[in-house]
Amino acid sequence: MSKRRFRIEGGRYGGELVLGEVNPAFVSHYAELDDTSELIDAVLEAEDWEPKEEEDNDTLLDPEGPPHPACPGEDFYMWENDNFEHINSAYADGGFMVYEVPADGSDDWDYDKEVYDGEGIHVYGREGGYFSSEEPEVINEKDEDGNEYVPVLAFHSSEKGSFGAWFVDTDEPFDEFKLGYGVVETNLAEFIDNVFYDKEELDCDYDYNDTTGKSYDAEVGWLNTKWHDSQELMYENLKDYWEDFDDNAEWERENRE
């Protein structure tokens, strides 16, 4: 059995964000508005929307009002609209807090012994949720260069609390310069994507995930799938990131006070 066990937590602010494809008419309508409150209200109310029985199911517009996120006849729930991204994590700029807990796992959620409070070492950043509000001429069709523009909605609940934890079992004292993290970048915020220790990816434990909602934010636009950095693509390139990680860790060892 390892002699020591540590719990790593991110900052106290973060939230949930989904990015998924929606009705192109919905994007065209709400992308033109400066005030996002109408967009947020439309998304929150969409679950209760029902098309008129006489409506053509191929119609994109609700004749009674603004476009619906989904085409008539389809169900819509914002937290399930996540075919590109579904994130539930602390913000990337919140740093980390590390606590030593009993090595036998008898009290993983003890807060008595904090051993580190500060930044991790950056491993990678992936563009998981960047998109443009400029409407392209062609949508949902891939061109000869591999560009394909898809109408999307990003919906974010900003929250305060705890967003999961990562555990490290080791025979050594905690080394802050072995703590690495990846970032997922979106139009609305940047979040912790993955956490690593000694170049090993750690599983996130959500058992004591406990947050309080603060506000909603939303944005619509056109995502070029060619430039969407998925989790799968990140794993394909992960080995290439470690050289930069070593350089960053060495610099931090020499310069961090």
Side-chain angles (χ1 to χ4, degrees):
M1 184 178 71
S2 299
K3 297 178 181 177
R4 308 184 76 166
R5 182 170 171 84
F6 300 93
R7 185 183 72 252
I8 303 168
E9 297 185 12
R12 296 307 185 208
Y13 290 90
E16 187 171 8
L17 182 144
V18 289
L19 177 66
E21 184 174 358
V22 290
N23 179 359
F26 181 82
V27 174
S28 297
H29 177 83
Y30 286 100
E32 298 296 324
L33 303 182
D34 294 329
D35 185 0
T36 60
S37 61
E38 290 187 35
L39 170 60
I40 294 169
D41 289 343
V43 174
L44 294 175
E45 295 168 2
E47 185 181 9
D48 298 324
W49 180 89
E50 295 181 0
K52 305 296 184 182
E53 290 183 2
E54 64 271 16
E55 278 189 81
D56 181 351
N57 283 341
D58 293 330
T59 299
L60 291 178
L61 299 177
D62 173 8
E64 300 298 325
H68 185 262
C71 295
E74 296 181 6
D75 294 329
F76 179 85
Y77 178 54
M78 63 275 196
W79 298 122
E80 295 178 355
N81 187 57
D82 59 359
N83 55 304
F84 287 108
E85 294 290 339
H86 197 144
I87 303 162
N88 192 352
S89 187
Y91 293 136
D93 61 358
F96 294 91
M97 294 161 287
V98 182
Y99 303 88
E100 184 163 12
V101 296
D104 61 5
S106 59
D107 191 0
D108 276 346
W109 305 100
D110 178 46
Y111 281 88
D112 289 340
K113 190 174 181 181
E114 183 179 87
V115 298
Y116 180 66
D117 184 353
E119 300 296 322
I121 307 297
H122 185 267
V123 177
Y124 69 85
R126 67 177 183 89
E127 296 182 5
Y130 279 153
F131 54 88
S132 172
S133 61
E134 183 176 349
E135 187 167 345
E137 294 182 1
V138 179
I139 66 171
N140 293 324
E141 291 184 16
K142 188 172 293 187
D143 65 21
E144 60 184 11
D145 296 320
N147 299 298
E148 181 182 14
Y149 294 92
V150 177
V152 294
L153 162 72
F155 193 80
H156 172 41
S157 172
S158 179
E159 302 168 5
K160 180 180 179 181
S162 57
F163 299 88
W166 301 265
F167 289 91
V168 171
D169 295 295
T170 178
D171 293 328
E172 306 294 335
F174 187 84
D175 185 345
E176 65 192 83
F177 301 105
K178 292 183 178 181
L179 173 61
Y181 69 103
V183 175
V184 54
E185 304 157 358
T186 79
N187 280 30
L188 299 179
E190 295 186 355
F191 301 86
I192 296 173
D193 196 36
N194 279 300
V195 172
F196 306 84
Y197 188 79
D198 200 14
K199 298 183 179 178
E200 294 291 331
E201 182 180 351
L202 305 178
D203 292 329
C204 190
D205 187 316
Y206 292 100
D207 284 352
Y208 279 73
N209 187 12
D210 185 17
T211 62
T212 300
K214 308 297 289 184
S215 64
Y216 289 126
D217 198 3
E219 189 169 337
V220 291
W222 309 89
L223 173 73
N224 186 350
T225 60
K226 178 181 178 180
W227 301 113
H228 175 244
D229 291 342
S230 65
Q231 279 274 5
E232 292 76 15
L233 182 62
M234 179 277 295
Y235 284 121
E236 289 177 13
N237 297 316
L238 186 56
K239 289 183 180 179
D240 297 333
Y241 299 139
W242 290 125
E243 184 175 345
D244 289 338
F245 172 85
D246 289 335
D247 291 340
N248 292 336
E250 182 179 357
W251 189 93
E252 290 289 349
R253 284 184 187 275
E254 295 174 354
N255 294 277
R256 186 180 292 181
E257 295 181 358

